[in-house]
Amino acid sequence: MGSNSLHVLKGINFKAEAGELVAIMGSSGSGKSTFLNILGMLDEADEGIYTLDEVKIEKLDETKAAEYRNKFLGFIFQSFNLINYKSAVENVALPLYYQRVPRKERLQKALSYLERVGLKPWANHLPSELSGGQKQRVAIARAIAAEPKVLLADEPTGALDSQTSYEVMDLIQKINDEGNTILVVTHENEIAHMCKRIVYLKDGVIVEDKKVEQVRASQYVK
């Protein structure tokens, strides 16, 4: 900002294999968001190498970054980031629109993804007519509709109560069971242990990276 620069990440080495479910943890200011933003091509690293599905991600203008994001990535946010004036099915169909999928086909596909997250009956409802948990399910359906290589979830349960959090994590685990690679930024220990590996960031460096015995969220879903 101005003449002040902040060195956020300090020489991180990180590799995720296809099909992993990784939790990224760390206190506020540890670099989690910057890390996720670089992986999500929302920010660019000043130095170092970032390779995604054997493609070197570098020197991206906004058009190229958008094209790569659409091709490789699905995003799930704490605040859902749904478009308020579009119905659930239209929100889910959005990435397919950018992939130039014909209208009829993308709506059919969007409906099938809503069905997967248990929300087909709410297809024509606006976000304002949905609960927090339902909104997050719509957001997950939207994230997976484009069949991305990697799902990036930034505090996906942050705005939800415990029971709804378990339902959302159960859904994320099921998507991962199908072979999808998912990275989850969370500050909740319980949520992190529903992943298979936990990476701890502190002051811009990885201080711990360990595999954990995965806790299945389904046992807590009522």
Side-chain angles (χ1 to χ4, degrees), residues 135-155:
K135 285 180 196 171
Q136 195 56 295
R137 284 168 176 270
V138 173
I140 291 170
R142 179 184 59 188
I144 60 177
E147 296 171 5
K149 300 278 183 191
V150 181
L151 274 178
L152 299 175
D154 192 2
E155 299 279 4

Side-chain angles (χ1 to χ4, degrees), residues 45-116:
D46 300 300
E47 57 184 67
I49 297 163
Y50 171 23
T51 307
L52 177 56
D53 198 36
E54 299 180 2
V55 175
K56 206 169 176 185
I57 307 299
E58 60 180 353
K59 298 187 181 71
L60 301 179
D61 57 31
E62 191 40 54
T63 310
K64 194 76 175 162
E67 182 193 318
Y68 277 0
R69 279 196 296 267
N70 203 27
K71 180 179 175 185
F72 289 123
L73 302 169
F75 292 90
I76 305 164
F77 300 96
Q78 178 177 344
S79 53
F80 321 126
N81 285 16
L82 300 176
I83 295 174
N84 292 329
Y85 58 84
K86 288 190 178 290
S87 66
V89 71
E90 288 169 331
N91 267 285
V92 175
L94 208 56
L96 302 170
Y97 168 81
Y98 290 112
Q99 288 185 346
R100 297 185 173 84
V101 175
R103 181 178 162 78
K104 191 178 174 187
E105 189 186 329
R106 69 175 180 261
L107 287 174
Q108 278 177 340
K109 213 170 178 184
L111 264 179
S112 72
Y113 278 100
L114 275 178
E115 189 168 22
R116 274 185 69 183

Side-chain angles (χ1 to χ4, degrees), residues 175-188:
I175 294 165
N176 173 247
D177 290 342
E178 291 170 10
N180 293 283
T181 311
I182 308 176
L183 306 186
V184 179
V185 165
T186 182
H187 64 276
E188 298 173 76

Side-chain angles (χ1 to χ4, degrees), residues 126-140:
L126 293 171
S128 58
E129 300 168 319
L130 302 173
S131 69
Q134 288 173 323
K135 285 180 196 171
Q136 195 56 295
R137 284 168 176 270
V138 173
I140 291 170

